[in-house]
Amino acid sequence: MMKVLHVAAEIFPLVKTGGLADVVGALPQALIAQDTDVRLLLPGLPAILDSLADLRGLCDIGPVFGAARVQLLQARMPGSQVPVYVVDAPYLFRRGGNPYQDSSGREWPDNTQRFALLGWVAAHLAAGELDPLWQPDILHAHDWHAAMACAYVANHPPTPARTVYTVHNLAYQGLFPREDFHFIGLLARFTATSALEFHGQLSFMKAGLKFADRVTTVSGSYAREIATAEFGCGLDGLIRSRGAAVRGILNGVDYDIWNPETDPGLAANYGADSLERKRLCKQALQQAFGLEARPDALLFGVVSRLTAQKGLDLVLGGITHLLELGCQLVVQGNGDPALEAAFTYAASIHPGQIAVRTAYDEALAHRVIAGSDALFVPSRFEPCGLTQLYALRYGCLPVVRCVGGLADTVVDASEANLQADRATGFSFRDASTTALSIAVDHAVALYAQPERWQQVQRRAMAQEFSWNVAAQAYLALYRELLPPRPA
Ligand code: ADP
Ligand code: GLC
């Protein structure tokens, strides 16, 4: 059976800052369901150590990169029982905040060592040096946090494991002072521009892009986009040079968690055949957020990190128009203080029509998506995007910018698509308030025709973004890298 080690900094439901955690929580299980022997390697963050019940020591690694005591622990994920290795380095990982930042939003100053260590342990595990009983055929690293694993495998031959690196977001690159290289045990040749150097800094992202045997990203469109100057964040030349080694594999959805028929947190459960019950979720949402109880107002939702990526300034610009049309808006998002303040201000001058929660709240995210009629995802770029996929299943029609994974997953309710019963939402091209407002007009016009709106809802709810399909694509990619099986 093929053995695969997934390496990542976050995993739902233990530690989550975004969609990466959802993917790392679901993909290993989908691979296991297809007869693959999958294990995870995670950093020993407090939320991870506290949630893994049967933790036990596997080996003492000793001092590495300024962490006085590094141990490798073993456990299983609660619920799924997927086997997990944990890098326990108390000095580097046992602290508050999130995996990357302290509680006031500042990057941890020793992130070089923290995430180099994660990659270093992954590479040594892959080399068979840490667990005599298990050695992966494939080391699969997620985002810059785990990318150094690919450089350490290259730094540490001979390691039979082949490497796959998935870019969940090219904009977060893990850039550190070049001098930090002295702390992380790499040969000097790794600081060359042809290796990890990027405009005078050390780039962990480059470790994955350069040294992994295959690079994937989370949608076909984003795979094409990152090979262009517009979306390539200065790395498009390197990405183009990897040619066919770069692939797009669309994320899936864990429909055990995102299913309006069984979701335990909703005011009412509903499905495509009981859409009238969705109105109860809307009513509950209006009440919870202090909006006027207007069943017929088109209620737009937002569930998002508030960052420039997500294009929510376009929604801010469109608020006046939205209100003129009699619509309502619920925003659940946190992040950039300026965006938080702008939405909070909009809510304060339009009470009853606009409401904002600037908290990160998993249960509330489900209620916002269930209770809203439509969900804004007007991203400037979007590697895949998961909220629009969740919204589709909840019959909450996504209003998206036609970019990256959003372009690959939402079919605009154009007249032709409506006629062909293909439409699942609304999409627009320009990153402008005007373009967003035209999409809003379109949504309002369709909402005024309940039968047609419901037809689109039902089409949306029938979409299946299955992890099984994604897992098959990853398995095919892994097989390309392994020696052919004897006949
Ligand atoms: P990204 O990873 O770029 O943030 P995705 O759409 O892939 O975007 O994933 C975002 C994930 O984070 C989804 O599971 C979404 O529900 C969740 N999320 C984002 N903001 C919040 C919030 N304020 N509260 C709860 N969940 C949130
Ligand atoms: C990143 C991307 C998002 C994607 C997620 C999971 O956070 O911004 O588009 O859905 O990773 O792959």
Side-chain angles (χ1 to χ4, degrees):
M1 197 185 278
M2 193 195 302
K3 298 194 194 68
V4 183
L5 179 69
H6 280 260
V7 190
E10 46 184 282
I11 184 163
F12 178 86
L14 310 188
V15 179
K16 170 167 166 178
T17 70
L20 168 65
D22 292 356
V23 172
V24 177
L27 174 59
Q29 294 183 65
L31 289 166
I32 289 170
Q34 296 189 34
D35 293 328
T36 314
D37 180 358
V38 181
R39 297 190 180 189
L40 288 151
L41 177 70
L42 305 170
L45 305 166
I48 289 178
L49 293 171
D50 293 348
S51 318
L52 298 172
D54 54 346
L55 265 181
R56 56 206 182 278
L58 176 65
C59 71
D60 266 312
I61 301 179
V64 191
F65 309 160
R69 206 188 97 228
V70 180
Q71 273 194 302
L72 191 62
L73 312 179
Q74 258 185 315
R76 284 183 185 268
M77 276 297 285
S80 71
Q81 300 296 307
V82 176
V84 186
Y85 296 102
V86 181
V87 185
D88 187 22
Y91 180 68
L92 292 179
F93 292 134
R94 285 200 208 167
R95 38 176 99 156
N98 77 27
Y100 324 112
Q101 299 171 335
D102 66 21
S103 40
S104 58
R106 274 185 302 260
E107 303 290 313
W108 295 112
D110 51 358
N111 274 348
T112 321
Q113 293 96 311
R114 298 172 76 235
F115 294 105
L117 179 65
L118 183 64
W120 188 94
V121 172
H124 285 260
L125 194 54
E129 293 164 10
L130 302 179
D131 184 348
L133 300 178
W134 197 86
Q135 196 179 348
D137 303 303
I138 299 285
L139 187 166
H140 188 154
H142 295 270
D143 265 353
W144 72 262
H145 329 124
M148 285 297 285
C150 306
Y152 287 116
V153 167
N155 190 52
H156 186 75
T159 298
R162 312 305 303 274
T163 51
V164 174
Y165 175 54
T166 296
V167 179
H168 293 265
N169 194 331
L170 193 65
Y172 298 99
Q173 301 188 351
L175 295 176
F176 301 105
R178 197 172 168 182
E179 305 72 55
D180 281 9
F181 131 83
H182 295 292
F183 306 136
I184 60 170
L186 277 175
L187 299 173
R189 66 186 168 88
F190 281 85
T191 62
T193 306
S194 59
L196 305 189
E197 192 271 346
F198 186 64
H199 299 292
Q201 292 182 288
L202 208 56
S203 162
F204 280 21
M205 175 64 78
K206 274 188 83 180
L209 295 180
K210 188 87 203 170
F211 293 106
D213 293 307
R214 292 286 185 277
V215 174
T216 72
T217 188
V218 286
S219 69
S221 285
Y222 193 60
R224 289 184 291 278
E225 287 167 355
I226 58 175
T228 68
E230 186 183 354
F231 294 96
C233 301
L235 291 162
D236 44 297
L238 169 54
I239 289 165
R240 284 195 298 277
S241 77
R242 296 296 317 262
V246 181
R247 313 279 172 83
I249 298 178
L250 192 71
N251 286 331
V253 173
D254 188 336
Y255 290 114
D256 288 338
I257 294 169
W258 291 94
N259 178 356
E261 298 186 68
T262 54
D263 193 326
L266 306 188
N269 289 112
Y270 62 92
D273 297 330
S274 51
L275 272 170
E276 67 289 348
R277 292 174 59 76
K278 183 171 163 62
R279 295 180 80 85
L280 300 174
C281 297
K282 179 171 176 178
Q283 198 180 17
L285 184 65
Q286 285 170 323
Q287 193 174 17
F289 274 73
L291 294 181
E292 283 175 16
R294 291 168 49 213
D296 297 330
L298 205 176
L299 173 54
F300 288 92
V302 168
V303 175
S304 185
R305 291 184 294 118
L306 299 184
T307 66
Q309 170 189 348
K310 300 294 178 180
L312 294 165
D313 50 309
L314 306 181
V315 174
L316 278 169
I319 278 179
T320 310
H321 186 64
L322 211 83
L323 293 174
E324 278 165 7
L325 294 170
C327 303
Q328 295 181 327
L329 175 67
V330 159
V331 177
Q332 189 198 345
N334 61 330
D336 179 350
L339 284 168
E340 284 189 10
F343 279 113
T344 305
Y345 177 70
S348 73
I349 54 174
H350 302 291
Q353 312 311 329
I354 300 181
V356 178
R357 293 281 186 281
T358 54
Y360 193 95
D361 181 334
E362 195 72 35
L364 192 59
H366 288 239
R367 293 202 286 273
V368 170
I369 291 176
S372 301
D373 296 302
L375 189 82
F376 280 127
V377 196
S379 309
R380 292 201 142 69
F381 66 94
E382 195 60 74
C384 176
L386 295 173
T387 55
Q388 86 281 9
L389 303 183
Y390 304 153
L392 287 168
R393 180 49 62 105
Y394 280 64
C396 166
L397 302 187
V399 181
V400 304
R401 189 159 167 255
C402 190
V403 70
L406 301 171
D408 294 355
T409 56
V410 176
V411 180
D412 182 53
S414 65
E415 196 50 45
N417 287 332
L418 283 168
Q419 299 268 345
D421 196 14
R422 285 167 28 91
T424 59
F426 307 90
S427 74
F428 60 95
R429 283 189 185 277
D430 290 353
S432 71
T433 291
T434 309
L436 176 125
S437 296
I438 292 170
V440 166
D441 289 341
H442 191 180
V444 168
L446 198 72
Y447 192 66
Q449 307 166 63
E451 271 174 31
R452 292 191 107 189
W453 182 271
Q454 280 171 24
Q455 173 198 337
V456 180
Q457 280 183 306
R458 276 193 275 272
R459 173 60 47 212
M461 293 171 86
Q463 302 302 299
E464 187 81 30
F465 294 95
S466 135
W467 270 118
N468 293 338
V469 172
Q472 274 166 22
Y474 282 112
L475 281 174
L477 185 84
Y478 299 158
R479 282 195 202 100
E480 285 176 19
L481 296 172
L482 298 180
R485 272 185 252 160

